[in-house]
């Protein structure tokens, strides 16, 4: 199909925090098969730094998640524990040059904190990534195409000053005409460009790291 990238999200979770540090003193780097497969197919990886282990929540330990839960906790983490996780993970995967801090923070199942707290997470993540690999390209944070007020709040608190790029997600209805899709895409990218100019004082590369259009509904009855 000509695919050249794999994003560390649903299909490639070996950089997620609960996967690499399931316990405070336990590190799991046993992902050789994943790495070999990516290299064999010459695929670039967008590493995602995401998820809070049950033991690392800022408000105290949460119930342990058994096995590989669909998604890890979106609880606001202890920032020093997060800093260590990011640093060790980026050091452990030197073949990954591009890193995305978190995922869709406006969605409560992914992030339970405030925009200000998320901006602080972005700062800590950026510093830790650059300390581990000064040549890394850092982006936050897989923003959705809605929740524009939330985007602006986190930008006000400095999230876009601590990133090299901005990633967003764009989903579109399957019955829209191409002209409508293009107009909506332009509206989204203009929104994020304006935020970068206003709050970061510079242009930021934009990455659409998740999205697409819905498919037909014929299968749903099954």
């Amino acid at each position: 199909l000509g695919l050249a990238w794999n994003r560390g999200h649903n299909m490639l979770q070996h950089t997620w925090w609960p996967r690499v540090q399931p316990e405070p003193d336990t590190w799991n780097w046993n992902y050789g098969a994943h790495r070999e497969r990516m290299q064999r197919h010459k695929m670039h990886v967008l590493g995602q730094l995401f998820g809070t282990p049950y033991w690392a929540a800022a408000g105290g330990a949460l119930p342990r998640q058994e096995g590989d839960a669909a998604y890890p906790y979106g609880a606001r983490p202890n920032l020093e524990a997060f800093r260590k996780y990011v640093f060790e993970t980026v050091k452990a995967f030197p073949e990954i040059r591009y890193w995305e801090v978190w995922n869709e923070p406006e969605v409560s199942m992914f992030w339970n904190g405030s925009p200000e707290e998320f901006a602080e997470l972005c700062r800590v993540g950026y510093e830790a990534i650059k300390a581990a690999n000064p040549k890394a390209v850092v982006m936050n944070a897989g923003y959705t195409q809605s929740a524009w007020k939330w985007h602006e709040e986190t930008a006000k608190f400095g999230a876009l000053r601590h990133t090299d790029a901005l990633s967003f997600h764009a989903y579109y209805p399957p019955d829209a005409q191409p002209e409508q899709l293009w107009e909506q895409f332009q509206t989204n990218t203009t929104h994020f460009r304006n935020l970068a100019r206003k709050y970061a004082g510079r242009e930021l590369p934009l990455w659409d790291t998740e999205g697409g259009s819905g498919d037909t509904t014929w299968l749903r009855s099954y």
Side-chain angles (χ1 to χ4, degrees):
L1 294 176
L3 296 174
W5 284 85
N6 198 334
R7 176 175 178 250
H9 194 60
N10 293 76
M11 296 300 291
L12 193 69
Q13 301 174 2
H14 67 285
T15 63
W16 283 11
W17 194 357
R19 306 289 188 262
V20 302
Q21 196 183 13
E23 302 290 342
D25 299 317
T26 302
W27 294 91
N28 177 21
W29 309 120
N30 187 27
Y31 292 101
H34 293 232
R35 300 168 83 169
E36 187 276 332
R37 190 175 299 118
M38 293 302 98
Q39 293 167 4
R40 175 157 41 92
H41 292 290
K42 297 181 173 59
M43 294 189 78
H44 302 288
V45 172
L46 172 57
Q48 190 179 67
L49 300 161
F50 171 65
T52 301
Y54 79 95
W55 56 267
L62 298 167
R64 188 190 301 268
Q65 289 180 301
E66 298 299 331
D68 287 346
Y71 285 110
Y73 285 119
R76 181 172 59 89
N78 176 290
L79 287 180
E80 287 312 305
F82 179 70
R83 184 188 298 274
K84 183 174 182 180
Y85 148 66
V86 171
F87 179 84
E88 296 296 340
T89 302
V90 174
K91 290 288 284 187
F93 295 99
E95 72 273 17
I96 300 178
R97 185 184 167 207
Y98 295 84
W99 293 94
E100 186 178 43
V101 178
W102 226 254
N103 175 72
E104 296 187 357
E106 323 91 311
V107 180
S108 60
M109 70 178 289
F110 296 134
W111 177 253
N112 298 157
S114 67
E116 182 176 10
E117 290 165 336
F118 184 72
E120 184 69 0
L121 184 90
C122 292
R123 179 188 67 81
V124 171
Y126 182 85
E127 292 173 351
I129 293 169
K130 293 295 187 178
N133 180 4
K135 295 183 179 180
V137 176
V138 183
M139 64 187 73
N140 65 57
Y143 298 105
T144 64
Q145 60 192 17
S146 56
W148 285 17
K149 183 178 179 181
W150 206 100
H151 302 158
E152 181 142 21
E153 286 297 306
T154 199
K156 283 181 182 178
F157 290 114
L160 301 188
R161 293 198 300 271
H162 297 100
T163 191
D164 301 317
L166 189 155
S167 65
F168 69 99
H169 297 165
Y171 285 93
Y172 304 105
D175 56 350
Q177 295 300 309
E179 293 80 7
Q180 293 174 275
L181 302 183
W182 177 247
E183 182 178 351
Q184 186 176 348
F185 193 82
Q186 289 294 97
T187 299
N188 290 333
T189 54
T190 298
H191 161 67
F192 289 115
R193 285 195 177 102
N194 288 341
L195 286 182
R197 293 183 187 120
K198 184 175 181 179
Y199 294 105
R202 59 196 170 99
E203 298 282 343
L204 287 173
L206 301 181
W207 287 51
D208 182 356
T209 60
E210 182 181 321
S213 177
D215 207 339
T216 57
T217 60
W218 67 271
L219 193 60
R220 292 183 184 173
S221 61
Y222 295 96

